[in-house]
Each structure stands twice: as C-alpha cells, then as structure tokens.
Amino acid sequence: MHYSTQVKPITHLKAHAAEVLLQIAERREPMVITQNGEAKAVLQDVASYEETQETLALLKLLAIGNRQVEEGKTSSLADVAERLHTGIQS
C-alpha cells in the first residue's frame, strides 16, 4: 500500500471531516495528515486500529515465548500435560 495517495493537509480534514471519516471507513486505508507540509498524524478507522492492536499483542506474545526459549525456560510436553491435568500452574 502506498500512503502517498492518502496524504491530505490538515485544512482538508477541517473542511471535510465527515467525508474523510466516511472515506477512511469505506477504504480501510489510513490517511496521513500534514501540517505546514510535514506529516503530523495518521488517521485510521477503528476496525483497522483494533486489528493492528491485536496483531501487535500476538507478536509481543511470540517475542516473549522466543525469549523464554532462548533463556532455557522451557518445559517438556509431559510436564505441561501433568500440570494441566492436575491444575498446578508454575
């Protein structure tokens, strides 16, 4: 996706806020808002934002898991199965 097609000055946002929000929701593409010619903000629909946050949370869990493996903080399948069966947590 090329964001260069979705770059608008803040004056456009001020003058066409309802239209911009509708466009963002329909296209599900973020819009870069500029001020004095510089990118200042990214406007995104709520559904896309929520998906991004869920993806980041999953990536964080994967990173934590990878770090634990590197640190040797692992358990055998038999140990995990036993803990699940008996309800013991570590």
Side-chain angles (χ1 to χ4, degrees), residues 39-52:
K40 293 292 182 176
V42 176
L43 194 57
Q44 182 179 34
D45 68 282
V46 173
S48 294
Y49 176 79
E50 289 173 342
E51 289 172 5
T52 299

Side-chain angles (χ1 to χ4, degrees), residues 1-72:
M1 175 184 323
H2 296 281
Y3 295 119
S4 59
T5 61
Q6 289 292 96
V7 177
K8 300 290 182 192
I10 196 165
T11 53
H12 177 80
L13 177 61
K14 290 177 182 178
H16 306 282
E19 176 186 324
V20 167
L21 291 176
L22 182 62
Q23 176 184 349
I24 289 171
E26 287 177 351
R27 293 185 184 176
R28 296 201 63 193
E29 294 179 357
M31 180 177 288
V32 177
I33 303 299
T34 63
Q35 187 175 33
N36 300 322
E38 293 184 27
K40 293 292 182 176
V42 176
L43 194 57
Q44 182 179 34
D45 68 282
V46 173
S48 294
Y49 176 79
E50 289 173 342
E51 289 172 5
T52 299
Q53 294 304 305
E54 290 173 7
T55 300
L56 290 172
L58 289 172
L59 288 172
K60 185 174 183 177
L61 289 173
L62 286 171
I64 290 169
N66 284 338
R67 189 172 349 130
Q68 288 175 336
V69 168
E70 290 171 1
E71 294 171 355

